Amino acid sequence: MQKIELMAPAGNFESLQAALDNGANSVYFGVEQLNMRARASINFTLDDLQEISDRCKAKNVRSYLTLNTIVYDHDLSIVKTLIKKAKEADITAVIAMDQAVIAMARELGMEVHISTQINITNIETVKFYALFADTMVLSRELSLRQVKKITEQIEKEQIKGPSGRLVEIEIFGHGAICMAVSGKCYMSLHSQNSSANRGACKQNCRKKYTVIDQETGFEMELDNEYIMSPKDLCTIDFLDEVVDAGIKVLKIEGRGRAPEYVAKVIKCYREAIDSIEAGTYSKEEVISWMQTLETVYNRGFWSGYYLGQKLGEWSKGSGSHATQKKVYIGKGVHFFPKANIGEFKIEAYDVAIGDTILITGKTTGAQEVKVAEMLVNNEKKEKGTKGDSVTIPLPFRIRPSDKLYKIVENKVEA
């Protein structure tokens, strides 16, 4: 089995660093408008491109700019500027679905990856887009059997992209799934004039609805299921079958998620991919990874359509089913490098010996550690509270203004 590329989401510098620290081979990100997370307040700006590129190259990680929304005439100048700036910053590739974006990227000499929004489901479509792109994301509705048939045909027919290399197939491996075919949904546009295909989805499908018979007025709630809100995709428990399907890139969804989500999910899938390569992949390891994945944002898990399932599995409630949550405690003040000690100002709640803390920051990423000892206002104490200055030995550097959280159990309704 060939080792596959693990592709991480990055919605901001904290998440980017979390991806780099936990073993991602590549990251994908959006810049302001024209990506499928355009509504998010955490998108990067044009001025961030060089730093993104530099951080990725320092870790030998590939960088992908997402430009995969519907594009109108008034967007074309913005598209050209974005691609030009990405080229200048030495970003690895552009992820696109609009033919104008594909053409501009090729004209400017940028590597192109085809977005899942194109909805590639057969080998002939792969052949067509091989004229423009080296990597393609297949439709999320395919089974692994269908995926494998496509990868085998690429090998058999020696289908190559512009680089001269065999076309690489990418699929989604973990994260949120939209109810629409490969994300092409119009519900948000029709109901709130906010287009999902322009990155402005209002996520109407994640709400609870009552179905009404117009003739009789009879109402029902369909067993209290959120019938348009699928559970999150998870493939870690059959990842060996995913790898065997011949894919080259495994994409993790989550550009709108917190940095600790990126850190934990990427760490789990990194370990899983490495264990498959080493021949140690086992049910016991899968159980451990699943327990970790359940601690961060999720709507419950299912296998998507990869194993041949025809119908979706729906969420039983709104929001996250995570077994843990973070509580804001305070912020970083100073780091003492010789002693490897971080100083924090406690601004809310308390922190005590034995607590698991999370520290996030633009350069720090998302670091989790258990408090074994600490000083409170320069005295040895078991607990620090609001207003206190707390110093904690740490195996990593923190920066002023890094955020300090405590990880606590989160009660989830069955």
Side-chain angles (χ1 to χ4, degrees):
M1 290 183 180
Q2 182 177 343
K3 197 167 184 177
I4 58 178
E5 176 183 319
L6 178 59
M7 183 178 175
N12 55 21
F13 277 112
E14 287 88 343
S15 294
L16 172 65
Q17 194 60 45
L20 298 178
D21 289 341
N22 286 280
N25 301 116
S26 59
V27 296
Y28 66 104
F29 60 93
V31 173
E32 296 170 355
Q33 306 170 38
L34 302 180
N35 71 89
M36 295 305 285
R37 294 295 180 273
R39 280 186 65 237
S41 60
I42 54 177
N43 278 311
F44 293 102
T45 68
L46 273 176
D47 294 335
D48 294 327
L49 281 172
Q50 192 60 58
E51 184 175 350
I52 293 169
S53 178
D54 291 345
R55 287 204 200 185
C56 288
K57 284 191 286 186
K59 290 285 189 93
N60 196 30
V61 169
R62 291 164 64 84
S63 53
Y64 306 139
L65 170 65
T66 58
L67 276 171
N68 57 343
T69 63
I70 288 174
V71 173
Y72 297 122
D73 279 326
H74 66 264
D75 298 319
L76 294 176
S77 61
I78 300 173
V79 170
K80 195 161 191 174
T81 297
L82 283 171
I83 298 174
K84 185 178 179 182
K85 292 291 185 182
K87 176 70 174 177
E88 291 171 356
D90 203 20
I91 297 298
T92 307
V94 171
I95 301 173
M97 64 88 72
D98 190 285
Q99 286 74 19
V101 179
I102 294 169
M104 284 185 185
R106 296 285 298 127
E107 183 181 344
L108 292 170
M110 283 288 291
E111 181 180 326
V112 174
H113 293 185
I114 299 299
S115 170
T116 191
Q117 267 72 30
I118 287 286
N119 200 212
I120 295 175
T121 57
N122 61 74
I123 193 64
E124 294 301 324
T125 306
V126 170
K127 288 180 185 178
F128 175 81
Y129 283 105
L131 298 170
F132 315 101
D134 293 292
T135 302
M136 302 176 198
V137 190
L138 295 184
S139 170
R140 294 185 303 207
E141 292 70 42
L142 295 182
S143 68
L144 285 182
R145 182 180 296 179
Q146 291 172 306
V147 172
K148 188 170 185 176
K149 185 174 181 180
I150 288 173
T151 61
E152 287 175 343
Q153 286 298 111
I154 290 172
E155 182 74 35
K156 181 180 179 181
E157 300 185 34
Q158 290 292 292
I159 302 169
K160 298 178 180 179
S163 68
R165 303 188 306 269
L166 288 179
V167 166
E168 295 184 338
I169 291 301
E170 173 186 325
I171 65 171
F172 278 84
H174 189 93
I177 290 184
C178 179
M179 64 167 289
V181 175
S182 286
K184 292 192 287 291
C185 178
Y186 297 92
M187 187 174 182
S188 179
L189 177 65
H190 290 319
S191 63
Q192 295 178 271
N193 196 32
S194 187
S195 176
N197 301 292
R198 295 274 289 173
C201 180
K202 295 288 189 181
Q203 297 204 336
N204 312 52
C205 58
R206 303 300 183 185
K207 299 177 181 178
K208 187 175 183 179
Y209 288 87
T210 299
V211 178
I212 302 175
D213 184 326
Q214 292 292 333
E215 292 185 4
T216 66
F218 177 74
E219 298 183 7
M220 58 182 176
E221 292 186 355
L222 299 176
D223 294 330
N224 296 316
E225 289 189 336
Y226 286 62
I227 61 170
M228 292 183 288
S229 181
K231 292 180 179 179
D232 287 357
L233 173 66
C234 179
T235 62
I236 206 163
D237 57 336
F238 58 98
L239 194 61
D240 52 343
E241 297 179 55
V242 173
V243 174
D244 186 55
I247 67 160
K248 295 296 188 292
V249 186
L250 187 74
K251 182 175 187 176
I252 306 299
E253 189 275 339
R255 278 183 292 142
R257 298 282 171 252
E260 65 270 17
Y261 173 94
V262 176
K264 287 190 176 183
V265 175
I266 294 302
K267 186 174 187 294
C268 286
Y269 277 87
R270 172 79 282 145
E271 290 176 359
I273 291 170
D274 291 347
S275 73
I276 290 171
E277 184 183 52
T280 60
Y281 180 82
S282 67
K283 289 183 179 179
E284 291 74 23
E285 285 186 306
V286 167
I287 291 171
S288 177
W289 292 322
M290 288 297 295
Q291 289 173 342
T292 299
L293 293 172
E294 287 169 354
T295 66
V296 290
Y297 192 102
N298 70 85
R299 297 182 178 92
F301 296 124
W302 73 303
S303 59
Y305 298 97
Y306 291 137
L307 302 181
Q309 190 165 339
K310 297 298 183 184
L311 296 175
E313 291 188 16
W314 312 114
S315 296
K316 294 291 185 180
S318 61
S320 177
H321 294 189
T323 58
Q324 294 181 351
K325 64 180 179 180
K326 62 183 181 183
V327 177
Y328 178 74
I329 300 295
K331 64 183 179 183
V333 175
H334 187 69
F335 185 75
F336 301 91
K338 290 184 179 180
N340 288 324
I341 289 175
E343 179 184 356
F344 300 90
K345 183 70 173 180
I346 306 303
E347 297 180 331
Y349 300 103
D350 58 69
V351 62
I353 291 177
D355 285 343
T356 298
I357 57 174
L358 169 71
I359 302 163
T360 66
K362 180 179 177 181
T363 309
T364 306
Q367 302 282 355
E368 201 171 287
V369 67
K370 193 167 186 176
V371 179
E373 57 179 309
M374 66 180 178
L375 294 179
V376 180
N377 301 324
N378 294 319
E379 294 181 12
K380 278 192 173 182
K381 289 187 178 181
E382 294 285 319
K383 180 185 291 187
T385 58
K386 185 176 180 180
D388 287 339
S389 175
V390 173
T391 52
I392 303 171
L394 297 170
F396 50 87
R397 173 183 288 272
I398 67 156
R399 284 87 182 167
S401 77
D402 276 2
K403 293 179 180 178
L404 173 67
Y405 301 91
K406 179 164 63 175
I407 301 297
V408 299
E409 295 303 306
N410 186 34
K411 293 182 179 180
V412 181
E413 292 184 7

